[in-house]
């Protein structure tokens, strides 16, 4: 049977969102992220980071710098005994300063390309997998990829995302039978650890529309 995974956004979800992080020294990993990844791995799910890094397109840092940052990130999780299975990033932007990254790609979230590429490479069953992120684009990407559920965390830009969600999308009565809109998370968690705990509960029950 194919593996299931939890896809994690990077900035504001597992590390502090410091704008366009261009220096490995500035990387601050949330302690809750280390615990969350441990929990997820304990039940045999894979952990894959999927991150938009348009700072590359904007010429704010090089791929070398991004790889240095990701080496430190991988090392930190490895050191904790809970390695990340993979990190996928989108370097593109439609109006990039740097020509090689200027395109309308299928991998910049809310597009699902990063999740699909990871699923193909790692043999992941998306229908049994989950997305966690602090922005609506994370939630939409998770749903477009066909994940079972997407969880919004209130770290990073998550508090703004959650309040925007309440204003734009008043809670809808489930009994109407309408399909959930792509940008509506199945759950809102205070942080990634609570999100992981919700997922471990949720994976034990089939979805209503399964
Ligand atoms: Mg984010
Ligand atoms: Zn892309």
């Amino acid at each position: 049977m194919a593996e299931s995974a939890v896809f994690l956004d990077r900035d504001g979800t597992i590390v502090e969102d410091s704008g366009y992080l261009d220096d490995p020294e500035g990387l601050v990993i949330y302690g809750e992220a280390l615990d969350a990844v441990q929990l997820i791995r304990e039940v045999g799910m894979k952990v894959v980071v999927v991150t938009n890094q348009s700072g590359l397109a904007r010429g704010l840092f090089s791929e070398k710098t991004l790889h240095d940052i990701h080496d430190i990130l991988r090392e930190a999780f490895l050191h904790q005994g809970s390695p990340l299975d993979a990190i996928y990033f989108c370097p593109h932007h439609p109006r990039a300063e740097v020509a090689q990254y200027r395109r309308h790609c299928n991998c910049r979230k809310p597009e699902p390309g990063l999740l699909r590429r990871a699923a193909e490479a790692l043999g992941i069953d998306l229908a049994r997998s989950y997305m966690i992120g602090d922005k609506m684009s994370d939630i939409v990407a998770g749903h477009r990829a066909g994940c079972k559920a997407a969880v919004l965390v209130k770290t990073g830009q998550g508090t703004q995302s959650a309040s925007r969600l309440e204003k734009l999308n008043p809670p809808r009565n489930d009994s109407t039978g309408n399909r959930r809109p792509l940008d509506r998370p199945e759950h809102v968690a205070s942080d990634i650890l609570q999100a992981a705990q919700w997922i471990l509960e949720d994976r034990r029950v089939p979805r209503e529309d399964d």
Side-chain angles (χ1 to χ4, degrees):
M1 186 152 81
E3 314 247 12
S4 58
V6 179
F7 295 98
L8 306 176
D9 168 52
R10 195 192 83 176
D11 300 332
T13 302
I14 62 171
V15 307
E16 273 183 17
D17 185 353
S18 29
Y20 298 101
L21 179 66
D22 60 358
D23 180 2
E25 298 268 317
L27 186 70
V28 180
I29 301 169
Y30 293 136
E32 291 82 3
L34 296 164
D35 294 337
V37 170
Q38 187 177 352
L39 278 185
I40 295 164
R41 293 191 63 94
E42 273 171 8
V43 298
M45 299 177 87
K46 288 186 181 293
V47 179
V48 179
V49 175
V50 286
T51 178
N52 286 355
Q53 291 299 326
S54 69
L56 289 165
R58 297 170 208 266
L60 299 174
F61 50 81
S62 66
E63 288 213 23
K64 162 86 171 68
T65 300
L66 185 66
H67 288 305
D68 287 347
I69 290 169
H70 287 173
D71 283 346
I72 291 175
L73 195 59
R74 263 188 284 268
E75 187 61 36
F77 282 90
L78 190 64
H79 184 74
Q80 195 80 0
S82 308
L84 302 170
D85 288 284
I87 302 176
Y88 286 81
F89 64 90
C90 165
H92 307 116
H93 194 276
R95 294 180 307 281
E97 307 281 320
V98 182
Q100 72 177 116
Y101 302 128
R102 192 182 307 135
R103 79 179 68 142
H104 289 276
C105 64
N106 66 4
C107 55
R108 179 171 162 78
K109 295 175 291 181
E111 296 301 323
L114 295 179
L115 289 80
R116 292 208 171 129
R117 202 188 303 161
E120 176 136 352
L122 303 175
I124 292 165
D125 177 6
L126 287 165
R128 291 190 297 122
S129 298
Y130 294 82
M131 176 76 211
I132 303 175
D134 67 321
K135 289 192 189 173
M136 300 320 297
S137 55
D138 297 312
I139 303 307
V140 173
H143 286 147
R144 281 185 178 156
C147 287
K148 186 182 177 200
V151 181
L152 183 74
V153 286
K154 286 187 164 180
T155 49
Q157 300 189 29
T159 307
Q160 290 108 290
S161 304
S163 61
R164 205 160 51 234
L165 187 72
E166 279 166 30
K167 277 184 215 132
L168 295 179
N169 297 316
R172 189 186 279 169
N173 187 346
D174 279 343
S175 65
T176 58
N178 285 318
R179 279 197 81 81
R180 178 180 289 273
L182 285 176
D183 63 357
R184 200 80 51 91
E186 275 76 7
H187 184 66
V188 179
S190 60
D191 60 32
I192 186 175
L193 183 54
Q194 286 203 0
Q197 286 161 341
W198 182 85
I199 287 170
L200 296 201
E201 280 299 313
D202 185 79
R203 68 194 282 275
R204 295 158 54 180
V205 293
R207 287 231 81 76
E208 286 147 31
D209 52 359
D210 275 356

